[in-house]
């Protein structure tokens, strides 16, 4: 009995105490709520317009309705249950809210005053890393100290952003009612984990946030879909410029972002992911034109927030570690790009290159680490790959371990790359001069490194750097139209070395260049399968030094030396001791067949180039030398030919220099008769496709005597005489050229034969021959003589005397008509021992010189020049 009485007294006492508490709380509810509102919403005044409070059966506090009103928003909290306990003190254990309705009445951010890290009082003497660390530390401390009731859950938050009600007019002058958006959110705090989600009116969550408080820090996970998040942000007037707000509203954004943030022991680490990202702009940003940016970004980073001196130095560096896929693709209109470049007045050459190579896509790919050094204001990237695309054509740049100074706008003080690779296929058909050579793209593959510091830069190119060009042609014009003068099927240039730009803007080079040409062809002259040109380039643009060696199909061709200023360099081309047999092994198209067994070639060409654009008008001095040439030339054996010639080249014209002595010597020519010890002094010129030759002091041994021509010119000019002087010519050897049956002549003759040219034909006038030794004439059993003797008794005695005539005088006046027949008015004096009579004969002989020359098969060039000139008159 006493037990039940104790229970009853206890229950009544508790009820009375609770009633007093509830009544006190209810009476003070307005002042309590207003006090809380004033502390939590100090930026704007808040007042309570309704508050319905009661008790549930388990003595929990039930707030049926709580209404808060402010200039920014009207808030209605519906069906709230607060669970509590009173021992050992009053403590709330759970808060469950069924619904929170928020109707914005004004833009939330319109009156917020922005502060800047650049404020003088707060930033003076502080580094960027210190400022960033302080800012992060402030936010982290707030999150770390952030406390909510132990257990809290809001089933639904209904939020309607502020919009100007009424009619709006679009760009197309269409008037419509502006609809209000509705967002649904959820909020809970259970087991030290704060969870928040935000969705649209269909209650589909597009943003989730979770904050978990731990013993020595916290962690945050955040994820969102960008398209509805962008819409959500756009519906709020942010403290940004009107133009930026307009651009934000005009762009379409899709994709997903997520982050994991952890804070432990003053270390803040983040793992960030952006997938399926697409930013589509129909109007562009500024003057960029329409574009589309898409891709993925995934990276981790860590920041030390400890303020001690050691960690402060660590905070000078922020490292982003890229994981998974990290690639951004920018798609834009090439026309807009060109217009932008023209507005900023880019050079005409760059504009030509951009027009020839339209780019519609630019892809960026990141790997490894990105390091921001706040102390030096540098950004370092482990790996950056850039791909500029247009259809199937891709221009690629890969940078390994690159660094750029973020605060420096001068590239020579801002950029270094330990290792780069450039692959590109560039059209240059609009660049002046290039289209005349080829219409095919230039293939570029460059590998190397780049360093820049204090207005100096150094470019290093690795061994496998190559530039390739195909289908090169140089054309010229003629009466028949355009003709190819030179062509190369493929040309590759391998580069290795370095180029340095010094502080005084001088360029210093040390590069080796290997040019390889395939199928090089000069029509009607030469065609080689491979041609190599190796160059070493040293010095500066003001004092260049280039040494080049060349070979074709493995045959050395000589060396090229270029020195001096690149604007007006001196050039010298030298070939020394080049075997002619090797040179002739090349596919050289000569007008006649040449088969040599020995001989060497020396040549030298030198000059000063005043203007590279007018190289054909440059004055060159040249020399050519052939030594000990032996072999067959057009079927004629030539032995030990030596030739030295000096000449000048200017504007396509070639003129030889005067020689003090003979410049051509030949030991032996095996032709219709052996010719030995030939020597001659030659001068010639080539201008406007006209060839002129001057021959002086032509000497040769032939027919056991010698031949001498003091002066001769080609082409012949009217009135010209080439006086052929003969000395002790063996008549037996001369007659052997045209063997006649039963005729023998011996003895040696001398004389001269002047060859005249009247502007149309060749003739011989006032020539004379005379014997220098006694000789023998025998005419026996000659059919023509026998016929003459039978038909003319007067000639019988004369021919009888010629059957065995030992002459002591033989002289002749020589002339030749334009029909090619040579006239010989001959006087012969001697004695015939068979008839024991002195003989004195005057003979008028006619000889077919043209026929003789044709029968001897004189060289084709000799026939073309002389015989055909005579033949037209003979016909």
């Amino acid at each position: 009995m006493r037990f039940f009485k104790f229970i009853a007294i206890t229950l009544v006492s508790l009820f009375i105490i609770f009633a007093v508490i509830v009544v006190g709380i209810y009476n003070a509810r307005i002042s309590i709520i207003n006090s809380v509102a004033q502390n939590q919403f100090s930026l704007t005044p808040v007042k309570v317009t309704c508050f319905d409070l009661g008790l549930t059966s388990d003595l929990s506090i039930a707030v049926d309705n709580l209404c808060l009103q402010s200039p920014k928003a009207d808030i209605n909290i519906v069906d709230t249950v607060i669970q509590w306990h009173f021992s050992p003190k009053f403590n709330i254990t759970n808060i469950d809210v069924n619904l929170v309705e928020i109707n914005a009445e004004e833009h939330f951010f319109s009156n917020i005053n922005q502060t800047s890290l650049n404020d003088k009082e707060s930033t003076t003497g502080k580094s960027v890393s210190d400022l960033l660390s302080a800012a992060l530390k402030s936010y982290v401390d707030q999150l770390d100290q952030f406390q909510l009731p132990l257990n809290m859950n809001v089933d639904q938050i209904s939020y309607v952003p502020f919009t100007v009600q009424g009619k709006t007019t679009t760009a197309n002058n269409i008037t419509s009612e502006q609809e209000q958006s509705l967002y649904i959110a959820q909020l809970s705090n259970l087991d030290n984990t704060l969870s928040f989600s935000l969705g649209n009116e269909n209650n589909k969550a597009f943003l989730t946030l979770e904050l978990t408080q731990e013993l020595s820090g916290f962690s945050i996970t955040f994820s969102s879909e960008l398209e509805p998040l962008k819409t959500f942000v756009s519906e709020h007037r942010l403290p940004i410029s009107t133009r930026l707000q307009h651009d934000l509203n005009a762009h379409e954004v899709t994709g997903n972002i997520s982050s994991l943030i952890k804070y432990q022991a003053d270390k803040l680490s983040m793992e960030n992911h952006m997938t399926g990202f697409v930013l589509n702009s129909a109007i562009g940003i500024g003057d960029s034109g329409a574009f589309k940016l898409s891709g993925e970004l995934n990276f981790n980073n860590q920041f030390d927030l400890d303020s001690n001196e050691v960690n402060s130095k660590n905070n000078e560096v922020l490292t982003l570690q890229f994981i998974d896929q990290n690639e951004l693709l920018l798609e834009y209109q090439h026309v807009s790009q060109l217009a932008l470049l023209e507005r900023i007045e880019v050079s005409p050459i760059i504009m030509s290159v951009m027009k020839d190579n339209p780019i519609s896509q630019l892809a960026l790919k990141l790997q490894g680490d990105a390091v921001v050094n706040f102390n030096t204001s540098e950004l370092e990237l482990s790996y950056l790959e850039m791909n500029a695309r247009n259809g199937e054509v891709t221009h690629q740049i890969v940078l390994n371990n690159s660094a750029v100074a973020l605060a420096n706008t001068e590239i020579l003080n801002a950029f270094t790359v330990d290792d780069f690779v450039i692959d590109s296929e560039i059209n240059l058909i609009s660049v002046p001069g290039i289209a005349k050579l080829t219409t095919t793209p230039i293939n570029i593959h460059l590998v190397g490194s780049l360093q820049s510091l204090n207005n100096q830069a150094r470019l290093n190119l690795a061994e496998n750097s190559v530039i390739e060009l195909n289908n090169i042609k140089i054309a010229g014009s003629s009466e028949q139209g355009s003709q190819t003068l030179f062509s190369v099927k493929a040309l590759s240039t391998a580069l290795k070395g370095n180029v340095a730009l010094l502080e005084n803007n001088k360029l210093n080079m040390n590069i080796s260049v290997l040019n390889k040409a395939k199928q090089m062809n000069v029509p009607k002259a030469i065609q080689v399968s491979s041609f190599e040109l190796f160059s070493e380039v040293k010095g500066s643009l003001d004092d260049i030094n280039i040494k080049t060696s060349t070979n074709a199909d493995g045959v050395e061709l000589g060396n090229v030396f270029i020195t001096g200023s690149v604007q007006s360099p001196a050039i010298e081309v030298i070939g020394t001791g080049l075997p002619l047999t090797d040179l002739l092994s090349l596919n050289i198209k000569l007008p006649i067949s040449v088969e040599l067994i020995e001989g060497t070639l020396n040549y030298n060409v030198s000059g000063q180039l005043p203007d590279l654009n007018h190289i054909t008008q440059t004055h060159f001095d040249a020399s050519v030398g052939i030594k000990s040439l032996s072999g067959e030339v057009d079927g004629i054996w030539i032995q030990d030919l030596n030739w030295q010639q000096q000449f000048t080249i200017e504007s396509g014209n070639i003129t030889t220099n005067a020689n003090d002595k003979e410049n051509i010597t030949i030991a032996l020519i095996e032709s219709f008769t052996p010719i030995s010890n030939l020597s001659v002094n030659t001068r010639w010129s080539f201008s406007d496709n006209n060839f002129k030759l001057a021959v002086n002091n032509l000497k040769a041994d032939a027919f056991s005597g010698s031949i001498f021509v003091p002066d001769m010119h080609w082409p012949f000019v009217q009135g010209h005489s080439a006086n052929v002087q003969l000395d002790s010519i063996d008549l037996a050897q001369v007659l052997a050229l045209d063997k006649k049956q039963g005729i023998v002549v011996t003895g040696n003759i001398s004389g001269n034969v002047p060859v005249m040219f009247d502007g149309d034909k060749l003739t011989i006038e006032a020539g004379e021959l005379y014997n220098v030794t006694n000789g023998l004439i025998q005419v026996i059993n000659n059919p023509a003589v026998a016929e003459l003797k039978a038909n003319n008794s007067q000639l019988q005695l004369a021919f009888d005397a010629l059957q065995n005539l030992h002459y002591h005088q033989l002289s002749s006046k020589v002339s030749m008509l334009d029909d090619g027949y040579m006239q010989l008015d001959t006087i012969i004096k001697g004695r015939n021992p068979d008839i024991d009579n002195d003989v004195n004969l005057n003979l008028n002989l006619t000889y077919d010189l043209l026929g003789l020359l044709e029968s001897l098969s004189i060289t084709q060039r000799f026939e073309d020049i002389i015989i055909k000139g005579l033949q037209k008159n003979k016909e």
Side-chain angles (χ1 to χ4, degrees):
M1 208 47 195
R2 289 180 178 177
F3 175 77
F4 290 109
K5 192 179 289 187
F6 173 77
I7 293 295
I9 292 172
T10 301
L11 290 174
V12 171
S13 299
L14 290 173
F15 178 78
I16 293 172
I17 293 170
F18 183 75
V20 171
I21 293 172
V22 170
V23 170
I25 291 174
Y26 184 78
N27 289 332
R29 64 188 184 279
I30 299 299
S31 61
I32 292 173
I33 295 299
N34 281 326
S35 176
V36 171
Q38 268 190 332
N39 290 330
Q40 299 300 322
F41 304 99
S42 59
L43 292 177
T44 56
V46 178
K47 69 177 182 177
V48 178
T49 57
C50 72
F51 182 46
D52 296 328
L53 182 145
L55 294 174
T56 64
S57 58
D58 60 355
L59 300 182
S60 298
I61 301 174
V63 180
D64 294 334
N65 202 6
L66 172 61
C67 304
L68 303 176
Q69 188 179 62
S70 75
K72 295 289 186 181
D74 291 338
I75 304 173
N76 187 23
I77 304 174
V78 180
D79 292 340
T80 302
V81 176
I82 304 173
Q83 296 181 356
W84 58 279
H85 61 76
F86 197 72
S87 176
K89 62 180 181 178
F90 180 80
N91 190 23
I92 296 176
T93 60
N94 270 327
I95 298 178
D96 291 311
V97 180
N98 182 41
L99 175 64
V100 176
E101 295 177 329
I102 302 174
N103 289 287
E105 296 296 331
E106 189 179 329
H107 291 294
F108 285 158
F109 306 103
S110 58
N111 296 324
I112 295 180
N113 293 322
Q114 296 297 306
T115 59
S116 171
L117 289 176
N118 294 322
D119 181 73
K120 289 184 178 180
E121 295 182 0
S122 61
T123 62
T124 302
K126 295 183 180 180
S127 66
V128 175
S129 60
D130 291 336
L131 296 173
L132 180 59
S133 178
L136 290 174
K137 182 67 174 176
S138 175
Y139 288 118
V140 167
D141 288 343
Q142 294 180 43
L143 289 172
D144 196 26
Q145 298 169 10
F146 179 75
Q147 296 291 331
L148 281 176
L150 180 60
N151 293 308
M152 175 182 176
N153 183 67
V154 180
D155 290 339
Q156 181 175 312
I157 300 174
S158 174
Y159 169 59
V160 179
F162 171 75
T163 58
V164 179
Q165 301 297 317
K167 296 181 179 181
T168 60
T169 303
T170 66
N172 297 324
N173 294 322
I174 300 176
T175 304
S176 62
E177 295 288 340
Q178 187 174 6
E179 297 182 359
Q180 286 185 300
S181 300
L182 174 64
Y183 294 95
I184 305 299
Q186 291 181 331
L187 177 67
S188 67
N189 185 63
L190 302 173
D191 299 327
N192 293 322
T193 298
L194 174 65
S195 300
F196 175 78
S197 66
L198 178 65
N200 52 33
E201 56 185 340
N202 297 324
N203 204 22
K204 180 182 178 182
F206 61 84
L207 182 148
T208 61
L209 175 67
E210 191 173 274
L211 168 63
T212 301
Q213 292 179 321
E214 301 172 355
L215 292 177
S216 59
F218 61 85
S219 64
I220 299 175
T221 58
F222 169 81
S223 65
S224 176
E225 297 179 26
L226 292 177
E227 183 176 13
L229 179 61
K230 175 256 179 182
T231 303
F232 179 80
V233 172
S234 299
E235 290 177 334
H236 297 78
R237 181 178 295 171
L238 301 177
I240 57 178
S241 67
T242 304
R243 178 61 183 272
L244 185 57
Q245 180 72 50
H246 176 266
D247 290 340
L248 180 63
N249 295 337
H251 305 326
E252 299 177 4
V253 181
T254 59
N256 299 278
I257 60 172
S258 63
S259 295
L260 172 60
I261 305 172
K262 290 186 176 182
Y263 174 67
Q264 293 285 339
D266 283 329
K267 293 187 183 297
L268 186 68
S269 62
M270 301 177 64
E271 181 177 327
N272 305 279
H273 300 274
M274 181 172 65
T275 58
F277 171 74
V278 177
L279 172 62
N280 203 341
S281 175
I283 61 173
I285 297 177
D287 298 325
S288 69
F291 68 89
K292 178 182 178 181
L293 180 64
S294 60
E296 298 184 4
L297 281 178
N298 302 278
F299 61 90
N300 300 333
N301 66 289
Q302 181 172 301
F303 202 81
D304 198 330
L305 303 180
D306 194 347
S307 60
N308 65 60
E309 184 177 352
V310 175
N311 289 328
S312 178
K313 293 182 179 180
N314 294 334
N315 290 347
E316 292 175 356
V317 176
L318 174 63
T319 302
L320 304 182
Q321 297 177 331
F322 295 104
I323 56 177
D324 300 329
Q325 295 294 322
N326 288 278
E327 186 170 358
L328 294 175
L329 177 64
L330 177 63
E331 301 174 76
Y332 54 89
Q333 296 176 348
H334 183 64
V335 175
S336 300
Q337 179 195 38
L338 293 178
L340 178 61
L341 294 176
E342 288 178 348
R343 282 193 291 272
I344 61 178
E345 298 182 350
V346 173
S347 70
I349 292 181
I350 295 179
M351 288 299 301
S352 298
V353 173
M354 298 302 295
K355 290 177 181 179
D356 292 340
N357 301 272
I359 301 299
S360 59
Q361 294 182 345
L362 180 63
L364 299 179
K365 185 177 181 180
L366 294 162
Q367 293 179 357
D369 298 334
V371 180
V372 180
N373 191 318
F374 295 105
N375 185 39
T376 60
S377 298
E378 286 185 345
L379 170 64
E380 300 177 5
L381 295 174
S382 298
Y383 179 90
L384 173 62
E385 179 181 322
M386 295 177 284
N387 293 284
R389 303 182 184 125
N390 180 37
E392 297 181 356
V393 178
T394 299
H395 311 278
Q396 185 182 77
I397 300 177
V398 177
L399 307 179
N400 288 298
N401 299 324
S402 60
V404 59
L406 300 175
N408 202 319
T409 58
E410 296 184 13
I411 189 67
L412 291 183
N413 292 328
F415 197 65
T416 60
V417 182
D418 288 349
D419 180 21
F420 69 80
V421 179
I422 299 176
D423 282 297
S424 183
E425 186 178 278
I426 302 179
N427 286 299
L428 298 175
I429 56 178
S430 296
V431 178
I434 298 297
K436 295 180 180 180
L437 296 177
T438 182
T439 57
T440 61
I442 296 177
N443 297 315
I444 299 176
H445 176 75
L446 300 179
V447 180
S449 61
L450 175 65
Q451 295 86 33
S452 62
L453 181 66
N454 298 329
N455 290 320
Q456 299 185 44
R458 185 182 182 89
L459 172 66
N460 298 292
L461 294 174
E463 188 171 2
N464 53 345
S465 296
V466 179
I467 299 175
E468 296 179 339
L469 190 60
N470 298 313
N471 298 328
I472 303 171
K473 291 184 179 180
I474 298 178
S477 58
S478 64
E479 295 179 356
Q480 291 75 27
S482 178
Q483 293 182 340
T484 300
L485 303 178
F486 173 82
S487 66
V488 174
K489 184 176 182 180
L491 174 64
S492 65
T493 301
L495 304 168
K496 181 183 178 182
N498 60 77
V499 178
L501 183 61
L502 305 179
E503 189 174 4
N504 52 8
N505 290 327
K506 288 188 176 181
L507 200 64
N508 189 64
M509 294 169 285
N510 187 357
I511 301 177
S512 61
V513 183
L514 176 59
N515 292 290
K516 291 185 178 181
K518 295 182 179 179
Q519 301 300 323
M520 188 178 72
N521 182 33
V522 179
K524 299 181 181 180
I526 186 171
Q527 181 176 353
V528 296
S529 299
S530 66
F531 177 84
E532 292 187 357
L533 187 149
F534 178 74
S535 302
E536 293 180 341
V537 183
K538 297 181 180 180
S540 64
L541 297 179
D542 295 331
D543 186 16
I544 199 71
N545 192 318
I546 302 176
K547 178 181 178 181
T548 300
S549 59
T550 60
N551 73 80
D553 289 343
V555 177
E556 292 187 9
L557 302 180
N559 299 289
V560 180
F561 299 90
I562 300 176
T563 57
S565 170
V566 294
Q567 295 181 347
S568 180
I571 183 171
E572 186 175 15
V573 185
I574 300 175
T576 304
L578 305 179
L580 289 171
T581 53
D582 292 346
L583 296 176
L584 291 176
S585 67
L586 302 174
N587 189 8
I588 301 176
K589 299 176 182 179
L590 300 174
I592 56 176
S593 64
V594 178
E595 297 181 7
L596 303 181
I597 61 172
E598 64 177 347
T600 58
L601 170 67
N602 299 310
Y603 67 86
N604 183 287
V605 180
S606 62
Q608 190 85 20
L609 305 182
D611 187 353
L612 292 177
N613 294 324
H614 301 88
I615 188 171
T616 57
Q617 301 177 11
T618 304
H619 177 92
F620 288 98
D621 294 316
S623 66
V624 176
I626 293 178
K627 184 178 180 180
S628 301
L629 181 151
S630 296
E632 285 194 355
V633 179
D634 197 27
I636 298 175
W637 175 260
I638 295 179
Q639 182 173 321
D640 198 17
L641 180 150
N642 295 277
W643 173 43
Q644 292 289 335
Q645 193 81 62
Q646 294 183 342
F647 50 91
T648 60
I649 306 172
E650 187 170 5
S651 301
N653 301 325
I654 304 175
T655 304
T656 59
N657 301 334
N659 300 307
D660 295 333
K661 58 181 181 179
E662 66 275 1
N663 64 313
I664 298 178
T665 62
I666 303 175
L668 178 63
I669 300 176
E670 289 283 1
S671 183
F672 51 89
T673 187
I675 300 175
S676 60
N677 300 322
L678 184 147
S679 65
V680 64
N681 188 321
T682 62
R683 301 188 312 275
W684 51 271
S685 65
F686 180 82
S687 176
D688 298 328
N689 294 324
N690 293 320
F691 178 76
K692 295 181 180 181
L693 173 66
V695 175
N696 296 102
N697 299 325
L698 172 61
K699 301 176 184 179
D701 293 337
F703 305 107
S704 297
S706 64
I707 300 174
F708 177 68
V709 179
D711 181 56
M712 182 173 64
H713 295 272
W714 178 261
F716 294 133
V717 295
Q718 186 173 0
H720 170 69
S721 172
N723 190 14
V724 181
Q725 299 178 13
L726 306 176
D727 184 19
S728 193
I729 300 299
D730 187 350
L731 288 174
Q733 294 183 33
V734 174
L735 264 64
L737 299 178
D738 187 20
K739 295 180 180 180
K740 301 294 185 181
Q741 181 179 348
I743 297 179
V744 176
V745 179
T746 65
N748 295 70
I749 64 170
S750 297
N752 64 84
V753 180
V755 179
M756 307 296 295
F757 182 70
D758 64 1
D760 183 52
K761 55 188 178 294
L762 293 171
T763 62
I764 297 176
E765 296 181 6
E768 61 178 359
L769 299 172
Y770 52 89
N771 66 303
V772 293
T773 64
N774 296 334
L776 174 66
I777 300 176
Q778 292 179 333
V779 181
I780 303 173
N781 300 325
N782 183 278
V785 172
E787 184 179 355
L788 288 173
K789 290 170 64 177
N791 296 328
N792 192 334
S793 59
Q794 296 180 358
L795 294 178
Q796 183 176 359
L797 180 61
F799 283 117
D800 287 342
L802 291 175
Q803 286 183 349
N804 188 18
L805 177 61
H806 295 258
Y807 68 88
H808 61 268
Q809 179 182 346
L810 188 154
S811 61
S812 178
K813 301 296 184 182
V814 182
S815 64
M816 185 181 70
L817 303 178
D818 59 3
D819 58 4
Y821 283 88
M822 186 169 61
Q823 304 294 324
L824 299 172
D825 297 332
T826 305
I827 298 175
I828 302 175
K829 293 181 180 182
R831 183 179 181 80
N832 188 333
D834 296 335
I835 59 176
D836 195 21
N837 282 330
D838 292 333
V839 178
N840 189 352
L841 297 176
N842 293 318
L843 301 177
N844 293 322
L845 303 176
T846 301
Y847 203 84
D848 186 5
L849 179 61
L850 175 61
L852 174 62
L853 295 176
E854 289 179 337
S855 67
L856 295 176
S857 299
I858 304 301
T859 62
Q860 185 65 42
R861 183 178 297 275
F862 190 79
E863 292 176 358
D864 291 341
I865 294 174
I866 298 178
I867 299 176
K868 291 183 179 179
L870 297 171
Q871 195 170 37
K872 67 177 183 179
N873 295 306
K874 182 178 180 180
E875 295 174 352

